[in-house]
Structures are given as structure tokens and as C-alpha cells.
Amino acid sequence: MRLGILLCDHVQPALQAEFGDYPGMFENWLSDSPVSLDITFFSAIDGELPENIDVCDAYMTSGSKFGVNDELPWIGELEEFVRRLYRQEKAFVGICFGHQLIAKALGGKVERSEKGWGIGVSSCQLLKHRNWMQPRKNQVNLIVSHQDQITHLPPNTQVLLGNDFCPYSMIQLGTHFLGLQGHPEFSHKYCHALMKSRKEAISPPSLRQGIVSLRLQTDDSLILVWLLNFLQKAIVKNS
């Protein structure tokens, strides 16, 4: 599978010496892929997007410290690119920022959550099962790091995972678009460092709760299998 990853941010300079940048995190997570992957990175944050969308079979985004409602030129260009992928039935997985961008681009709404930061390990319940969700698991743990949330879904959206804090944690549109609020590419250690770097912005109770939650194991490997199953089916169906 030729997979294009659209980079929407960089790791903070102060954390790069220990954790590297997002391409390395994705390569590490994707290294356990049961499918042969040919990965190409595009720096969407720097205005780099594929001119020919068929250069890759499927696409995925990184997260971002920016919000999808920020009026920055590269975000507007990426939003239009996402709409183009949807129209042309190209397989796509939006992670965190990309998950929210799917909603905004296709008629939904994203807002700053009054619940505050979602940080640490989040447990989501399976709300709808799909045949690519194999092996099946009814509760999924993933690292999260976000202030914004989808508040209104685009038309014809299926909600697959959710919890009380983030009801729309995984969404599907059509047979080729999937959004995931969590970060399967983040390690526990990086998540801890990221939370500490933002301690002035996060309330002390939320920070404490987020750090305690890191005791939970995450389902990064399971989610990798699910996402690749989804992308493979989307590629075959829409080819």
C-alpha cells in the first residue's frame, strides 16, 4: 500500500532531542504493520500537498497544535484537499486534527470543548461494529491530546467509538473516510512530556488525572490493524 501521511505540525523543539519528530513516530508505529507499506510524508503545514492524489493509494494525517478553525492558509488548503479526497473516493484516515478537519470540511462543526483538555489515556466504547474491526474489542484505550471536539456531525456520519467526554471519538463517512480522535502514534513517555510542557495551560486536576491515566495500556497495535483493514477495503471498493 502506498500511504501518504500529511504532516500538520512538528514536535516542540524542546522535545525533539528525546522524541524526534512526527515522521519518526509514525514510522515506529507503522513498523508493526502486517501489510507492506510504502510511506511518503507531505508537509501540509508548509503548504506541501500532492498535486496528483493518485500518487498514493491512501492518506492519513498527523495531529496538530493548531485548530481546524484557525484562519491559516495551509489549513484552508488542506481542508479543500480533504474535500477533494472525499469527492474522488480516496481512502483517508484523519487522526486528531485530521479527524476534526473531516467534520469541518464535510458540513459538521468543531468547537473548543467546555469540558477542557482531553489528555492522557482515554477509554472509548465500541458503539457500532464494522467487519474491518478485527479482532473485535468492545473497549479501546488510546492516548489523546486535544482541546477542540466535533460538536455537530456531518450528514450521514456513523459514530463507531465514543465516551462521555468525547462522544465522537471515531467516525466513518461513506466507505472511504475514517476519523480518529486518539493518537495511536504517541508513546506514553511522549504523552507525559507533552502534558508537562503544557502544564500552564492545563488545570492541575486534569493534569493529575492525565498523568495517572498513563498507567493504562493502550491499543495502538489493534488500532493499526483496524485502520489498515479499513484502508485496504476502501482501496479495493473504490478502485
Side-chain angles (χ1 to χ4, degrees), residues 117 119-121 195 203-214:
W117 278 87
I119 51 174
V121 177
M195 285 191 286
S203 71
S206 294
L207 183 60
R208 286 194 296 271
Q209 183 178 356
I211 291 173
V212 168
S213 75
L214 293 177

Side-chain angles (χ1 to χ4, degrees), residues 23-167:
M25 292 185 189
F26 274 93
E27 287 173 341
N28 183 61
W29 171 53
L30 294 168
S31 66
D32 292 331
S33 168
V35 178
S36 177
L37 296 177
D38 179 7
I39 302 170
T40 302
F41 292 98
F42 299 91
S43 186
I45 192 172
D46 298 312
E48 181 188 6
L49 294 170
E51 293 184 13
N52 177 6
I53 67 169
D54 293 326
V55 71
C56 294
D57 301 311
Y59 291 91
M60 186 179 291
T61 68
S62 76
S64 180
K65 65 177 172 286
F66 298 101
V68 298
N69 296 315
D70 292 345
E71 296 181 356
L72 298 171
W74 71 269
I75 294 177
E77 292 166 7
L78 181 58
E79 183 177 340
E80 180 51 44
F81 183 74
V82 167
R83 279 194 285 265
R84 183 180 169 202
L85 292 176
Y86 188 76
R87 288 195 302 267
Q88 298 191 27
E89 299 188 337
K90 202 72 176 178
F92 177 69
V93 171
I95 291 179
C96 192
F97 175 88
H99 165 74
Q100 297 171 8
L101 193 61
I102 287 174
K104 183 172 185 288
L106 300 181
K109 190 173 183 179
V110 176
E111 297 175 288
R112 182 64 49 88
S113 174
E114 60 184 20
K115 301 172 187 175
W117 278 87
I119 51 174
V121 177
S122 173
S123 298
C124 294
Q125 284 68 52
L126 180 66
L127 303 177
K128 288 185 181 178
H129 182 255
R130 294 292 175 260
N131 58 9
W132 46 265
M133 292 173 158
Q134 298 294 340
R136 177 169 178 159
K137 192 172 184 186
N138 291 329
Q139 180 172 298
V140 176
N141 293 342
L142 284 177
I143 288 172
V144 296
S145 181
H146 64 105
Q147 295 186 84
D148 293 352
Q149 290 195 38
I150 298 170
T151 53
H152 297 281
L153 294 167
N156 304 313
T157 300
Q158 302 172 63
V159 181
L160 307 183
L161 293 175
N163 57 33
D164 289 341
F165 183 86
C166 184

Side-chain angles (χ1 to χ4, degrees), residues 175-191:
T175 58
H176 60 297
F177 258 46
L178 193 71
L180 179 67
Q181 184 60 69
H183 283 281
E185 79 283 10
F186 280 9
S187 68
H188 284 66
K189 195 172 181 181
Y190 174 67
C191 179

